Amino acid sequence: MSNYNSILIAVDFSEASEQVISRGLLTASQNHASTFLVHVVEHLPPIDFGYEPLSSPDWYNNEEEIIKHAEKNIIALAKKHAIPVSHARVLSGSPKHEIIQFAKDNNIDLIVIGSHGRHGLQRLLGSTAYPVLHNASCDALAVRIKE
Amino acid sequence: MSNYNSILIAVDFSEASEQVISRGLLTASQNHASTFLVHVVEHLPPIDFGYEPLSSPDWYNNEEEIIKHAEKNIIALAKKHAIPVSHARVLSGSPKHEIIQFAKDNNIDLIVIGSHGRHGLQRLLGSTAYPVLHNASCDALAVRIKE
């Protein structure tokens, strides 16, 4: 059994991301692995303007703006944690699909991802960790978020 | 972020267990953690003897025998991998429930478990990794079994 070579840390920019990054970086250091930091901007559901023309905020359908904002965030996060900026990426689409595809394309052998609790809002929001684990072709470390 | 202290490696005695144990032991060594090796004997569904009296093998309802056999296996596996025999345990019940409960009772901070592929028989057999990840109160490392 050999060390991991390339670790992908998936973050959602919540406070919990710090816990996921810390565990990912410690694991990378223990394995002498390179690290990628990835955030996925989810596609937004279309708004029915005929039905509710006044309630959609300006930025809502401007995916370009959202991605730009996310790119600023991921670069700041990478710098804060001494991850090379070239390894900080924003993807867009389904988090599960994008994370799994990125892992394949970049020969990732470990995905580190936050796993939310069973109760309250975090459960309602769902967890990306679950489908990633089930479908990834590499190992996956689910970091239990301390609530 | 601190190292893991206590790692639980869950095995099903399939060939794949060797991959899970190797990754678990490497992770334990990187974290200077203690290691537990656990196998869960699932409760067997009752056979309807009125319906099919000749087809149930002798050992089928003898859970005691099955557990004894599993205990021999887990001890052999522990010795093979230099895990203390006192840390090799057979539990019985639902794998998900028993693994999660054992982790709580023994202050485990990482569960290492095999994660089977999406296709073929392994998918049909289901995966314990998925519900363990979703319900454990500690981190979980799903080791993707190479088929």
Side-chain angles (χ1 to χ4, degrees), chain B residues 14-102:
Chain B
S14 70
E15 276 180 47
S17 294
E18 290 293 327
Q19 293 175 46
V20 181
I21 294 173
S22 295
R23 177 59 64 193
L25 288 177
L26 178 55
T27 307
S29 143
Q30 291 167 336
N31 284 272
H32 313 289
S34 65
T35 312
F36 288 83
L37 190 64
V38 170
H39 173 81
V40 182
V41 171
E42 285 190 74
H43 287 314
L44 301 169
I47 288 179
D48 181 347
F49 287 100
Y51 180 71
E52 211 166 359
L54 296 175
S55 67
S56 65
D58 287 348
W59 51 265
Y60 191 86
N61 274 333
N62 195 342
E63 196 166 289
E64 212 176 299
E65 276 301 309
I66 297 171
I67 289 174
K68 262 190 200 165
H69 186 68
E71 279 169 348
K72 271 187 196 166
N73 278 348
I74 200 95
I75 285 171
L77 212 48
K79 284 182 174 166
K80 178 178 171 191
H81 291 283
I83 294 169
V85 168
S86 64
H87 280 204
R89 305 282 177 82
V90 170
L91 311 171
S92 77
S94 135
K96 169 192 136 183
H97 179 265
E98 294 301 321
I99 290 169
I100 290 169
Q101 192 60 45
F102 185 92

Side-chain angles (χ1 to χ4, degrees), chain A:
Chain A
M1 185 62 53
S2 54
N3 280 348
Y4 293 120
N5 288 315
S6 289
I7 294 179
L8 181 166
I9 304 174
V11 291
D12 61 3
F13 297 146
S14 70
E15 275 179 49
S17 294
E18 290 293 326
Q19 293 174 47
V20 181
I21 293 173
S22 295
R23 177 59 64 193
L25 288 177
L26 178 55
T27 306
S29 143
Q30 291 167 336
N31 285 272
H32 313 289
S34 65
T35 312
F36 288 84
L37 190 64
V38 169
H39 173 81
V40 183
V41 171
E42 286 191 71
H43 287 315
L44 301 169
I47 288 179
D48 181 346
F49 286 100
Y51 180 70
E52 212 167 359
L54 295 175
S55 68
S56 65
D58 287 347
W59 52 264
Y60 190 87
N61 274 331
N62 195 341
E63 198 167 287
E64 211 175 300
E65 276 302 307
I66 298 171
I67 290 175
K68 262 190 199 166
H69 187 67
E71 279 170 348
K72 271 188 196 168
N73 278 348
I74 201 93
I75 286 172
L77 212 48
K79 285 183 175 167
K80 178 179 171 189
H81 292 283
I83 294 168
V85 168
S86 63
H87 280 204
R89 305 283 177 82
V90 170
L91 311 171
S92 77
S94 135
K96 169 191 135 184
H97 177 264
E98 294 300 321
I99 290 168
I100 289 169
Q101 192 59 46
F102 185 93
K104 275 190 192 153
D105 294 345
N106 292 276
N107 295 317
I108 298 294
D109 43 19
L110 177 69
I111 297 169
V112 181
I113 191 165
S115 159
H116 292 295
R118 295 172 62 195
H119 304 292
L121 186 63
Q122 294 198 311
R123 177 155 199 185
L124 282 177
L125 291 173
S127 165
T128 302
Y130 206 29
V132 164
L133 158 68
H134 208 50
N135 294 284
S137 52
C138 66
D139 291 4
L141 173 61
V143 177
R144 173 61 59 186
I145 302 306
K146 306 284 183 291
E147 294 179 36

